[in-house]
Structures are given as structure tokens and as C-alpha cells.
Amino acid sequence: MDSWTGHEVPRLPGSGVPLALYDSARQGVHPTDPVGPATMYVCGITPYDATHLGHAATMITFDLVQRMWRDAGRPVTYVQNVTDIDDPLLERAARDGEDWVVLAMRETALFREDMEALRLIPPAHYVGAVESIPEIVEKVQLLLKEGAAYRLEDGTGDVYFDITAAPRFGYESNLTREQMLPLFAERGGDPQRAGKRDPLDPLLWRGARPDEPSWPGGDLGVGRPGWHIECTVIALNLLGERIDVQGGGNDLLFPHHECSAAHAERLTGQAPFAGHYVHAGMIGLDGEKMSKSKGNLVFVSRLRGDKVDPMAIRLALLAGHYRTDRAWTRELFDAAVERLARWRAAASAATGPDGALLLDAVRRRLAADLDTPGALAAADRWAQEALAGTGTDAAAPALFADTVDALLGVKL
Ligand code: 5CA
Ligand code: ZN
């Protein structure tokens, strides 16, 4: 499907710094490859409601990854999906008496507008589950043929992945089986389903049910794809057998990314599927994770409707470290509005302190697992001195503006 329109990213002088990121599988910060083309897959929205600040924070995190790689001279291929067929979408459409296709199209369109307003670099490929069904069918058939999947014998036509076909299962999330079981149930899995070989086996193909949309599945029969295999297949087909970064919020650590990796590794015979499994913290409101099911949402489109500057939203979300679960508060937002005004004033100053030093500091902070609080502090110090008239570098204000534009995505 169509992506959104990007903005020009200024080219910065000197050379960028190779990026290190926390990998959930190895539970530590490790360098990403320093050279060559980079590949990234980020788990996108299930479009049954508008983009909230949690989605925005996660997307902004991976936007910075892309900006850092580009700044270091690496071409990037970035893929994001849209889960445009899944249970939550059908449930919401049924609740509201709406056609699920219309709901998905409307919310996806709004997401694109929000991403553009927030100046997210668009993915090279923005791909829906529905348009990927033929490729998903092919891979599920292959898993069945190789004995890594099985069909339930209850006449539903449902096909499951056999997790014993993935000997490394668990390496991505580092969770014990006892920890996995409740998460699996909470996050779309069905541990109690009768006839499964293992309660943790994930669904690959759901046989057609009356009143549910379905598609031809060849030997699989008519049905629709499971969730994890959707992301596996889109990533494999567009990015190849091994990707640099598999990204999403930390609610996807298990079972989604564990199962996506297990599927991919079984299909390719190569492990690990991703060099880094990168997880953004949850944005919360009033003490709870912001989620569609809880209904405690702040929508990006609502803020835009209230004439909030999207650059202030970006700065507010960047003020905390991406891996920290954190709350959206009025104070956080007010501080971002104030910071944006200060930075804009500083960018219009006649002179400022050494611009090259500032650029170097921002690059180094971001290269260290996207230390945005550190990068913002470096920019704050520069801005404060520029506003105080301390520096004499006449080129610095323009370089300051380019630095925060190119590396933080904040247009002053
Ligand atoms: N379609 C699937 C991924 S394949 C999905 O999780 N969709 S979603 O709409 O629920 O979330 C979209 C992205 O935003 C995911 O990467 C998810 O991890 C992230 N996300 C969801 N809620 C939050 C939140 N409160 N804070 C931060 N990120 C969030
Ligand atoms: Zn996904």
C-alpha cells in the first residue's frame, strides 16, 4: 500500500558515528554493523483506532535509528507493516456496526497523516497483511510440508506452528515458560486451545469461519493468516533472510517477536533472524499503558486538531529514553513547547558556540543506544549559550538547526 510523503533531510558535515543499540536477545548494548546497506522491519499499527502517542513514540524511536544510519553514510531499507486483518479489527468493526475494510482504510489514512506531520521518514515499503496473503500462504504450506506446522483435527482448518521445530525458541525474549504462558494468553495467543501439541504453539492460518472474511489458501483451505507469520513473511520477502533491526514496542517482545523469529529461522535455516531486537518502552497515561483496549488514549490527530505543533509532540516524546516506560503528562508537554521556543530563538541568533562541537556531541549521545535525554541536554546547553550571546561562530545557528532536523527530526 502507499506510504506517506517524506521531508528533505539536511546533510550534515563530517562523518556520522556508528550506532550501538540494546538488543533484547543478548540483553546488552551492541554495535549495529558499521558499514553497508542496513535493513529494518518495524511492527506497525493494527488500524482499528487512531494513532496515539504510544504508537508515535515507537515510530519516532525507529525514525532516529534510520537517521543515525543515514548520517553514518549507510543506505537504509526500512519496511513497516499494517495488520489490516486480525481479530481486534473485526471485533471493533462489529462493535461499531462498521465495515472492517472501511475502518482499516480510514485509520491507516489518518496514521499516514500523523506520521507526515511528525516528520517520520517514510518506509521504503509500507505493506498490509491482506496484500501479503499469497506469500504468507506459500510459507505456511512450506512449514506444513516440512513438518514444522500441523493442522488441527477438529474440522476448523486451523494450522499451528510446532515450537519444537524452533530449538532456539525463547532466546529472543529470555523468558521462562512460566513467564511466557500468561503473556501468550494476554497478547492474542490461545494456550487453552484443545488439540494443540504445545500450549505455546502459535496460529499460522485460521480456517474460514462464518461471518469472517477469508481468502483462498490453496492446500491450506480458505482462511486468513495468523499474526506472527504476517511479519515474518513481509520481512523475509522484502529484506532478505537476515535483518539488522526488528523493532516495535516492548509489548511485542513476547510472543510476537519470539514467534516471528522462530518462523523465519525455521524457514531460512539461519539464526538469528535479526541482529538486534529493539523494543521501545510503553507510553502511559494516568498510571496505565496507553492502549486501545484500555481506552486511555491521547490521539496525535486530536492534538493536531487542537493546533498543537507536532514538533513539540516529538520533543516531548524524545525527552525520555526510548527504552523506559514513561508517562505522558501536561508538564512534559509544556516543557517541550518551551524547549521548542528556546531552540527556535537560538537558531535565529546571529552567532553561537562552536557548531561542530555541538553536532559531535549530539551524534555521540544518539550513537550510544539513542540517548535522547543526553542529546537534548547538549542542544539545550548550546541554545542557552547562543541566547546569552556567548559564542562567536556565525555558522553555528544554521548548523544547530540542521543537526536537530537531521538527527532528531525536529524542524525549527
Ligand atoms: N500490528 C501490531 C504489530 S505487527 C501491533 O502491535 N499494532 S498496534 O497498533 O497495537 O501497535 C503499533 C506499534 O505501536 C507496535 O510497535 C506497538 O508495540 C507499539 N505500541 C502500542 N502501544 C504502545 C504504547 N502505549 N507505547 C509505545 N508503543 C506502543
Ligand atoms: Zn509485527
Side-chain angles (χ1 to χ4, degrees), residues 41-46 81-83 227-232 234 246-248 252 256-257 260:
Y41 182 90
V42 175
C43 285
I45 55 162
T46 305
N81 73 310
V82 187
T83 307
W227 175 30
H228 319 302
I229 191 70
E230 164 196 343
C231 287
T232 304
I234 297 173
Q246 159 78 299
L252 302 184
H256 187 50
H257 287 169
S260 292

Side-chain angles (χ1 to χ4, degrees), residues 232-302:
T232 304
V233 171
I234 297 173
L236 286 179
N237 284 349
L238 290 164
L239 296 172
E241 298 198 338
R242 187 188 182 281
I243 59 178
D244 286 299
V245 165
Q246 159 78 299
N250 64 18
D251 56 338
L252 302 184
L253 177 76
F254 188 86
H256 187 50
H257 287 169
E258 190 77 65
C259 292
S260 292
H263 298 335
E265 289 164 13
R266 176 66 207 204
L267 283 163
T268 64
Q270 278 204 58
F273 169 51
H276 284 70
Y277 296 90
V278 181
H279 294 108
M282 290 292 110
I283 301 297
L285 186 73
D286 305 328
E288 292 233 57
K289 166 191 164 183
M290 207 175 272
S291 78
K292 293 172 228 181
S293 46
K294 294 212 176 76
N296 59 340
L297 306 175
V298 179
F299 294 121
V300 174
S301 44
R302 172 69 56 78

Side-chain angles (χ1 to χ4, degrees), residues 43-46 49-61 111 115 118 120 251 283 290-292 297-300 317:
C43 285
I45 55 162
T46 305
D49 215 336
T51 322
H52 60 63
L53 289 169
H55 303 138
T58 291
M59 299 308 158
I60 289 170
T61 295
F111 176 78
M115 293 298 103
L118 290 168
L120 277 290
D251 56 338
I283 301 297
M290 207 175 272
S291 78
K292 293 172 228 181
L297 306 175
V298 179
F299 294 121
V300 174
L317 293 171

Side-chain angles (χ1 to χ4, degrees), residues 3-265:
S3 186
W4 56 92
T5 309
H7 302 267
E8 202 157 322
V9 179
R11 284 195 65 82
L12 297 171
S15 39
V17 179
L19 173 65
L21 286 172
Y22 185 89
D23 172 24
S24 298
R26 286 174 287 172
Q27 296 184 306
V29 176
H30 295 271
T32 62
D33 281 346
V35 289
T39 50
M40 175 163 71
Y41 182 90
V42 175
C43 285
I45 55 162
T46 305
Y48 67 92
D49 215 336
T51 322
H52 60 63
L53 289 169
H55 303 138
T58 291
M59 299 308 158
I60 289 170
T61 295
F62 295 99
D63 189 57
L64 297 198
V65 172
Q66 182 168 195
R67 288 170 185 275
M68 286 301 288
W69 277 338
R70 286 178 171 217
D71 182 50
R74 297 184 69 187
V76 181
T77 309
Y78 168 34
V79 174
Q80 189 183 132
N81 73 310
V82 187
T83 307
D84 56 359
I85 181 66
D86 204 3
D87 298 346
L89 185 66
L90 298 177
E91 283 158 17
R92 176 61 63 92
R95 189 199 79 177
D96 296 350
E98 196 175 19
D99 183 328
W100 67 274
V101 177
V102 175
L103 173 63
M105 283 176 66
R106 186 180 65 240
E107 299 304 351
T108 305
L110 193 57
F111 176 78
R112 286 193 192 94
E113 278 179 29
D114 290 337
M115 293 298 103
E116 205 169 315
L118 290 168
R119 296 180 78 85
L120 277 290
I121 299 177
H125 306 277
Y126 190 51
V127 189
V130 171
E131 64 185 324
S132 310
I133 288 175
E135 287 103 333
I136 297 171
V137 166
E138 198 185 300
K139 293 291 194 277
V140 176
Q141 283 174 338
L142 197 63
L143 289 169
L144 259 178
K145 203 168 107 211
E146 292 182 350
Y150 59 96
R151 192 179 274 117
L152 283 202
E153 298 190 350
D154 59 3
T156 55
D158 293 356
V159 178
Y160 282 83
F161 183 74
D162 183 335
I163 55 166
T164 62
R168 288 162 54 92
F169 194 82
Y171 85 89
E172 182 269 345
S173 58
N174 292 290
L175 297 175
T176 62
R177 211 180 144 78
E178 290 60 46
Q179 291 169 314
M180 287 176 183
L181 279 162
L183 287 176
F184 189 77
E186 219 175 275
R187 297 172 178 170
D190 51 1
Q192 312 284 8
R193 178 79 189 269
K196 285 185 7 173
R197 292 179 188 166
D198 188 303
L200 292 173
D201 287 349
L203 180 75
L204 289 168
W205 184 255
R206 177 174 162 90
R209 305 291 200 273
D211 310 325
E212 281 187 14
S214 54
W215 289 265
D219 303 348
L220 303 177
V222 180
R224 60 180 167 94
W227 175 30
H228 319 302
I229 191 70
E230 164 196 343
C231 287
T232 304
V233 171
I234 297 173
L236 286 179
N237 284 349
L238 290 164
L239 296 172
E241 298 198 338
R242 187 188 182 281
I243 59 178
D244 286 299
V245 165
Q246 159 78 299
N250 64 18
D251 56 338
L252 302 184
L253 177 76
F254 188 86
H256 187 50
H257 287 169
E258 190 77 65
C259 292
S260 292
H263 298 335
E265 289 164 13

